[in-house]
Amino acid sequence: MGKYKELSEFIIKNVGGKKNINKLTHCVTRLRFNLNDNSLINEEALLKHSGIVTVQNAGGKFQVVVGTHVADVYSEILELTGISNNNEEDNEEKKGGLNKLIDIITKVITPVISLLVAGGLIQGITAILIASNLLSQEDGAYFILRAMGQAVFYFFPIILGYTSAKTFKMSPFVGMILGAALVMPELLPNLTEGDSLYTLFSGTILESSIYKTFFGIPIMFPEHGYTTTVIPIIFSTFFASKVEHFFKKRISPLMAHDLVPFLTIFISVPITILVIGPITNIASLLIETGVTGLNNFSPILTAIVVALIYQPLVVLGLHWPLITIAITNLANTGSDYLMATWFPASFAQMAVVLAVMIRTKSLQRKAMGVPALISCVFCIIEPAIYGFTLPIVKRFAYSMIGATIGGVIITLFSADMFAFSFGFLGFASFINPNNGNISGVFISLIAVAISMLVSFALTYFTFNEDPADEKEIMAKSTKNYKDYEVNSPLKGTVSSLTNAIDDVFSNESMGKGILIYPSEGKIYAPFNGTLTTMFPTGHALGITSSDKNIELLIHVGVDTVELDGKYFHPKFKQGDIVKQGDILLEFDIDLISKAGYQTETAIIVTNSSDYLDVIGTDNLSADELSPLLTLIPFKEKGKEFIKTNIREEIVS
């Protein structure tokens, strides 16, 4: 087990346990759970954990954002749960069509993002060497560097054939062969050159010259071939997975090893070239035409729309279709204007984080800002979004405003990107590798600087502390004064009060506290005090401490008042003075359960408003009189702290 075992165990527990996890995947910063029952999620506990940035329901998945070490946490969870992600998802059919498509694109593209970035960086380095006259396009080094940078794009269908096959749960090597068949060098010249036999869809944007047929069936092969394409291989592999699964069920295992791959390839490749390829090419062409048409109508409008929606789409995990279009543009033309419109987004987020770090008095917030800033440098903006901007909506809006202004500036000056690379290293992507023109770099630098300035200024001059940070700072204002500890009145398993079945307790309308699932039917006095309330039915009692005036309500079970005292045996009466450790009440867990009632016990500080905060233990279980709650006071030793005054001090 690795260093993230404790965090992984905590996440498993609070998403409902390993039996509730149907499937688990991850992207750059977040875990994506397919759960059998979302009602078992303990969101509040997850959000309170220092190792978790935030949680989010999006795209039909429950997402837990942990940061860039997500792969390590993912591996830990797989090991702890024994989950095999090769199993079919039981709830796949519950997803809508859009969620399914986004899920597929995410699974297929995510594993190769780092390869795209690597290829983009190599192209950027090559462009810098050419622009600085350190390298000639006639040098042997140029051709090797070009091969290194272009390989991932040229052979993209082969790579995606592998990841698509993994996604559709078929042989990944068959998927690679499907991709390889599409990019065979001999196909393009033989199927797109010479005298055409006839033309289909003449006079339309779908016009296609036919040079060869497949046993009389016209072959609509794109003039640039299938190298660098995305969509055709995904749909081809999906079809092939159905073919493979069909034959696996019907061919003897003794013969399946050879026959299934043969039949899958023999059927799928012709279908791909004759049917799937042309259909997906037409769909891609229509999408490209639509985006291009909008861009031709108004590049500024396109920039505004794309720049504005990009960050919200990242929050929802729905930004992959935009990336797919951009990759397609880059592959087909060697450049892309779409990526350039959202290029300033990570820098706008960085500016907001920097402004918050400067203005906040929270040491914890300042510490959180360092890794968030570093992540933004490499265009990983989830830590900034979930840790700094999204919790305060206006800050998220400021990052969107700044990013949009930067995107519009880049579009105004037609600074396209020539490689798939973002963040600080992405500036090299604005160098034109064909002529070494670096004007795009200067335009992008100016646009990013303005974007950051706008987002920073808006955040800095409208800054107010986060509510969570207020509590931390106010707590530090009383740091010379001792917190109050409340011990557990019973044994059992600890959970968040928000998990209580009774809404009166779960929404904390009665006060803050904690929930215990008892393992022993005894309630002990957690401190010296007075038994201020003992309900006639015995299912609930109230006790007030003799020294700190802590008012504690202990409520055993759900609707147990209906038992009318049956199975409850009070040991003291209302008004009695009790000592810490006295047994106040005994109850029969088994008989109460057999009667059809839950025995979960709510322990609530009913005068929570008299305290700065009430914090529950991090332990998963409690013994009688073990530390359970920490109460942070506003007043101690006769000196009074007024909430409003402290808050004014913080803001100032």
Side-chain angles (χ1 to χ4, degrees):
M1 290 291 178
K3 61 181 179 179
Y4 297 107
K5 179 184 177 183
E6 183 178 345
L7 173 60
S8 300
E9 290 175 336
F10 179 84
I11 293 172
I12 292 167
K13 175 181 181 294
N14 288 285
V15 297
K18 64 181 181 181
K19 291 184 179 179
N20 195 40
I21 302 173
N22 184 275
K23 188 171 180 66
L24 175 64
T25 57
H26 74 89
C27 62
V28 180
T29 60
R30 65 188 83 180
L31 299 162
R32 299 171 181 266
F33 288 92
N34 285 76
L35 301 174
N36 297 315
D37 185 356
N38 281 2
S39 68
L40 299 179
I41 299 169
N42 186 348
E43 283 196 24
E44 182 168 342
L46 291 167
L47 288 169
K48 285 182 177 179
H49 196 286
S50 60
I52 297 172
V53 179
T54 191
V55 298
Q56 179 80 34
N57 267 301
K61 294 179 179 295
F62 182 69
Q63 304 179 10
V64 180
V65 183
V66 296
T68 53
H69 53 279
V70 64
D72 295 326
V73 180
Y74 169 80
S75 298
E76 288 279 5
I77 292 177
L78 289 186
E79 187 173 347
L80 287 167
T81 59
I83 295 171
S84 172
N85 280 338
N86 292 323
N87 296 330
E88 295 288 340
E89 294 183 24
D90 296 334
N91 62 349
E92 188 71 26
E93 68 277 2
K94 298 178 183 178
K95 298 181 182 179
L98 179 59
N99 282 339
K100 285 184 180 179
L101 180 60
I102 291 169
D103 190 42
I104 289 169
I105 292 174
T106 301
K107 290 178 182 176
V108 171
I109 299 293
T110 298
V112 299
I113 286 292
S114 58
L115 295 179
L116 292 172
V117 172
L121 289 176
I122 293 171
Q123 291 185 61
I125 292 171
T126 305
I128 291 173
L129 292 174
I130 292 174
S132 58
N133 294 320
L134 295 175
L135 183 68
S136 167
Q137 294 188 7
E138 303 300 321
D139 291 344
Y142 167 77
F143 293 105
I144 293 176
L145 287 170
R146 179 173 171 79
M148 291 163 56
Q150 285 290 329
V152 64
F153 296 98
Y154 187 91
F155 296 107
F156 211 33
I158 299 178
I159 299 171
L160 294 185
Y162 180 88
T163 59
S164 297
K166 297 283 283 185
T167 299
F168 298 127
K169 302 172 179 62
M170 64 172 289
S171 167
F173 299 108
V174 172
M176 293 176 69
I177 293 299
L178 295 177
L182 289 177
V183 298
M184 284 289 290
E186 63 188 49
L187 281 183
L188 185 61
N190 287 312
L191 298 180
T192 61
E193 296 178 3
D195 297 328
S196 65
L197 301 176
Y198 48 86
T199 301
L200 295 178
F201 310 116
S202 181
T204 71
I205 62 171
L206 305 179
E207 182 174 309
S208 180
S209 297
I210 304 301
Y211 296 90
K212 296 288 190 299
T213 65
F214 183 82
F215 297 108
I217 302 172
I219 302 174
M220 293 177 60
F221 205 81
E223 60 177 329
H224 298 294
Y226 288 101
T227 59
T228 71
T229 57
V230 175
I231 302 299
I233 185 60
I234 294 177
F235 281 87
S236 171
T237 312
F238 173 74
F239 172 78
S241 69
K242 301 299 182 184
V243 175
E244 183 184 80
H245 296 158
F246 175 84
F247 285 118
K248 274 187 175 180
K249 293 178 181 178
R250 290 163 175 81
I251 296 178
S252 166
L254 294 175
M255 304 176 65
H257 182 270
D258 296 322
L259 283 182
V260 171
F262 159 68
L263 291 170
T264 302
I265 295 169
F266 189 76
I267 293 172
S268 300
V269 171
I271 292 295
T272 297
I273 293 176
L274 297 174
V275 181
I276 297 174
I279 291 175
T280 54
N281 279 333
I282 290 172
S284 298
L285 181 61
L286 291 175
I287 294 172
E288 182 182 345
T289 301
V291 175
T292 303
L294 178 62
N295 191 63
N296 291 337
F297 170 73
S298 175
I300 302 303
L301 178 61
T302 305
I304 291 173
V305 171
V306 173
L308 276 176
I309 68 173
Y310 178 72
Q311 293 183 69
L313 289 178
V314 170
V315 172
L316 298 173
L318 306 181
H319 55 301
W320 295 104
L322 278 180
I323 291 176
T324 303
I325 295 173
I327 293 172
T328 302
N329 290 341
L330 191 64
N332 290 338
T333 66
S335 64
D336 177 65
Y337 57 87
L338 205 59
M339 291 187 295
T341 60
W342 73 69
F343 180 76
S346 62
F347 297 97
Q349 286 283 338
M350 184 189 303
V352 173
V353 173
L354 185 61
V356 172
M357 289 178 65
I358 292 173
R359 289 298 308 272
T360 186
K361 294 184 179 181
S362 166
L363 296 179
Q364 182 179 3
R365 184 68 55 182
K366 289 179 184 291
M368 288 174 59
V370 176
L373 283 177
I374 295 173
S375 296
C376 285
V377 169
F378 297 98
C379 198
I380 299 173
I381 61 177
E382 283 88 348
I385 287 177
Y386 294 119
F388 286 83
T389 61
L390 196 59
I392 308 296
V393 176
K394 65 180 182 181
R395 293 180 192 165
F396 190 72
Y398 296 157
S399 71
M400 290 173 60
I401 292 170
T404 301
I405 292 173
V408 168
I409 293 172
I410 289 175
T411 302
L412 273 172
F413 292 93
S414 303
D416 290 350
M417 295 180 71
F418 296 88
F420 190 91
S421 184
F422 295 95
F424 177 74
L425 299 173
F427 288 108
S429 300
F430 287 90
I431 301 175
N432 190 329
N434 299 316
N435 54 27
N437 189 324
I438 61 173
S439 60
V441 177
F442 295 110
I443 293 169
S444 62
L445 284 168
I446 293 170
V448 164
I450 294 174
S451 175
M452 293 185 70
L453 181 61
V454 170
S455 296
F456 180 89
L458 288 172
T459 305
Y460 186 89
F461 292 110
T462 63
F463 178 82
N464 286 312
E465 278 304 346
D466 296 16
D469 293 337
E470 277 193 20
K471 288 185 177 182
E472 175 203 337
I473 297 165
M474 285 192 283
K476 288 174 182 175
S477 298
T478 61
K479 63 183 179 180
N480 294 326
Y481 300 91
K482 185 178 178 181
D483 297 338
Y484 303 158
E485 299 288 344
V486 175
N487 294 327
S488 178
L490 73 166
K491 294 181 180 180
T493 303
V494 177
S495 182
S496 168
L497 187 61
T498 57
N499 290 329
I501 297 173
D502 193 330
D503 291 340
V504 174
F505 299 142
S506 65
N507 61 23
E508 298 185 338
S509 60
M510 291 286 292
K512 295 184 177 181
I514 205 162
L515 197 67
I516 292 183
Y517 301 97
S519 58
E520 179 186 62
K522 293 180 181 180
I523 299 294
Y524 299 84
F527 40 62
N528 297 333
T530 302
L531 196 61
T532 49
T533 304
M534 175 60 79
F535 281 76
T537 55
H539 75 287
L541 58 90
I543 180 172
T544 302
S545 66
S546 56
D547 55 348
K548 307 298 183 184
N549 199 39
I550 300 170
E551 299 174 4
L552 203 67
L553 170 66
I554 303 170
H555 189 286
V556 181
V558 181
D559 296 329
T560 46
V561 65
E562 298 172 358
L563 290 171
D564 199 25
K566 199 174 182 181
Y567 312 130
F568 290 94
H569 310 288
K571 301 301 179 182
F572 289 84
K573 63 181 184 296
Q574 186 168 307
D576 285 349
I577 304 298
V578 297
K579 295 183 298 182
Q580 186 181 62
D582 285 344
I583 298 177
L584 306 180
L585 172 71
E586 291 185 350
F587 55 97
D588 196 313
I589 296 175
D590 293 335
L591 291 177
I592 293 173
S593 299
K594 287 180 181 178
Y597 293 88
Q598 300 276 353
T599 58
E600 65 175 41
T601 301
I603 297 98
I604 299 170
V605 180
T606 54
N607 60 336
S608 296
S609 60
D610 292 344
Y611 301 91
L612 176 61
D613 204 358
V614 176
I615 303 171
T617 180
D618 290 331
N619 294 329
L620 301 180
S621 62
D623 290 324
E624 77 278 9
L625 304 183
S626 65
L628 185 69
L629 296 170
T630 300
L631 281 59
I632 303 176
F634 282 113
K635 50 188 175 180
E636 175 73 15
K637 295 184 179 179
K639 183 172 182 179
E640 186 170 348
F641 288 85
I642 307 299
K643 296 182 185 181
T644 53
N645 290 344
I646 294 175
R647 195 165 283 112
E648 288 171 3
E649 177 188 338
I650 293 167
V651 173
S652 64

